[in-house]
Amino acid sequence: VGNASAVFAISFRSESPRKAARLANALAEEYLNSQTSAKLTALERSQGWLSERTIELQERLVGLGVDLERQVLDAPFTVEETETMKAQRTSAERQLNDARNAVEELTNVRREIFILVSQRNFLEAARAVPNPSFQMRQAMIEADNGDPNILEGARTQELNEITAQIDARERVVDGLRAEIDGYRDALVEVAEHDAQSKRIESDIRVSEAIYQDFVSQLSRRTQQDRFLNPDARIIAYARPSLYPSEPKRALSAVVAAVIAVFLLSLMVLVRELNQSGLRTVSDYEEATGLPVLG
């Protein structure tokens, strides 16, 4: 019937019509029972697999819950501490930028002073000193009056002061770098901890979804065993006929006798018609032209 189903006819030959009908019906029923049994076996196997998988998922969810609790307890810093470290890191980076600019500025001033001294522009070199001391200002006034050599000692002292400032700022830069690295390492640890926590939470959500789906399937399979039906059905049962279709024996004998008499008569008639012998006196006289005496 189409491409999706088929119809089978089951028949038996037996001297007893009732026996043949019972055999055909029993075979059909056995076929349906075997289909139901196969479905039940597959259903029980599926239920067993779902039960084992559900238990495994329960254990996994419990383990993930413990891991998440442990992850929360093992947090290196609180949320407030993390925000404070972020703010401190930003402030340290700003201070580091300012310290680098100051070091670069002082280094440029010192380089400019060395260049001016090498060119013997002592007065210009003294004027290039940022925030000169009182002694330096006095030496500059005296140099304006005609004694530029007096700037040597004051300039040397200012250069030493600039060098000390550069060294101090470089130490500040190193300290700020170390502080920023410490903040960065701490924040990286916090980020790794948060990422691990999110992975655990994601695993928990996925496992819970799978667990709920398996529980739903197991519930449906548990109820399904009460409504198992075979894939086939019996369209019609075999039943012995109450009125056999063949004719009665007596009537068959009479009809056969009539037919036999008719056939024999026909044979006799045909043989008689085909007879060529001379059987009467008139036949002989007509054939020979001689009279017959006896």
Side-chain angles (χ1 to χ4, degrees), residues 97-259:
N97 189 37
D98 294 341
R100 284 176 176 173
N101 292 335
V103 170
E104 184 178 0
E105 182 179 355
L106 291 173
T107 302
N108 292 334
V109 169
R110 185 173 63 177
R111 186 183 302 111
E112 183 180 359
I113 291 173
F114 283 142
I115 292 173
L116 291 173
V117 169
S118 65
Q119 296 174 356
R120 303 190 67 80
N121 292 329
F122 300 117
L123 185 58
E124 293 299 327
R127 289 174 180 174
V129 175
N131 300 322
S133 61
F134 177 77
Q135 182 181 359
M136 188 66 181
R137 288 195 296 270
Q138 287 295 115
M140 290 172 64
I141 293 172
E142 293 179 3
D144 288 337
N145 294 330
D147 189 8
N149 295 324
I150 198 172
L151 293 172
E152 183 66 25
R155 187 182 64 250
T156 302
Q157 183 177 358
E158 290 295 334
L159 286 174
N160 294 334
E161 182 66 24
I162 291 173
T163 302
Q165 291 180 8
I166 291 174
D167 294 339
R169 294 299 175 86
E170 288 180 347
R171 287 194 295 271
V172 170
V173 169
D174 294 338
L176 289 173
R177 285 177 178 172
E179 183 178 356
I180 291 172
D181 291 340
Y183 289 143
R184 183 182 296 110
D185 294 340
L187 292 175
V188 168
E189 184 179 359
V190 172
E192 291 177 351
H193 178 273
D194 292 342
Q196 182 65 21
S197 300
K198 290 180 180 179
R199 282 195 294 269
I200 295 175
E201 292 174 354
S202 177
D203 291 343
I204 289 176
R205 287 193 297 270
V206 173
S207 298
E208 284 180 347
I210 298 175
Y211 174 76
Q212 294 297 333
D213 181 64
F214 278 18
V215 169
S216 177
Q217 291 187 36
L218 183 60
S219 177
R220 290 196 301 269
R221 298 295 175 84
T222 303
Q223 298 175 2
Q224 188 178 356
D225 59 356
R226 294 178 295 178
F227 305 99
L228 284 180
N229 294 317
D231 293 330
R233 63 186 180 89
I234 298 176
I235 298 176
Y237 285 92
R239 294 183 178 88
S241 177
L242 298 177
Y243 304 99
S245 60
E246 71 273 6
K248 295 181 180 181
R249 292 182 179 180
L251 180 60
S252 298
V254 172
V255 172
V258 172
I259 294 174

Side-chain angles (χ1 to χ4, degrees), residues 18 34 54 58 72 141 168 170 217-218 236 243 271 273 280 293:
R18 294 184 180 276
S34 65
T54 302
Q58 286 179 342
V72 172
I141 293 172
E170 288 180 347
Q217 291 187 36
L218 183 60
Y243 304 99
R271 185 174 181 180
L273 291 175
T280 63
L293 296 180

Side-chain angles (χ1 to χ4, degrees), residues 281 284-286 288-294:
V281 174
Y284 184 81
E285 290 178 347
E286 290 178 358
T288 62
L290 297 176
V292 178
L293 296 180

